[in-house]
Amino acid sequence: MVRQLGAVDRRRRALRPLYLHKGLTLTAVLYAGFVVLCAVGLRQWWRMRDAPEEAAGTREPASVGAR
């Protein structure tokens, strides 16, 4: 399964420059924006994962049914 996903990823990376070459500017811009959003989200997730619990703003979960 991992090998198959790698092949799909290689094909997608190869298609990115073709979007511009074929005149699909909007598609190329949207794809680039999606990649940027993914990178920003991954970076934020890494920071939250590596931060101590006190700094991350976590607290004890509320009890179910507590009033």
Side-chain angles (χ1 to χ4, degrees), residues 60-67:
E60 293 295 320
S63 300
V64 175
R67 295 180 187 228

Side-chain angles (χ1 to χ4, degrees), residues 1-65:
M1 175 101 179
V2 174
R3 181 173 284 164
Q4 291 172 348
L5 291 176
V8 169
D9 188 46
R10 280 193 300 272
R11 277 185 248 138
R12 284 185 181 166
R13 276 187 273 147
L15 290 175
R16 285 182 213 158
L18 289 177
Y19 293 143
L20 290 173
H21 177 73
K22 293 285 186 178
L24 300 171
T25 308
L26 179 60
T27 302
V29 169
L30 290 173
Y31 196 89
F34 174 71
V35 170
V36 168
L37 285 174
C38 289
V40 169
L42 182 62
R43 196 170 117 201
Q44 288 177 351
W45 177 75
W46 278 338
R47 285 182 181 173
M48 287 179 57
R49 181 191 65 180
D50 295 338
E53 287 186 25
E54 297 83 28
T58 59
R59 56 184 172 158
E60 293 295 320
S63 300
V64 175

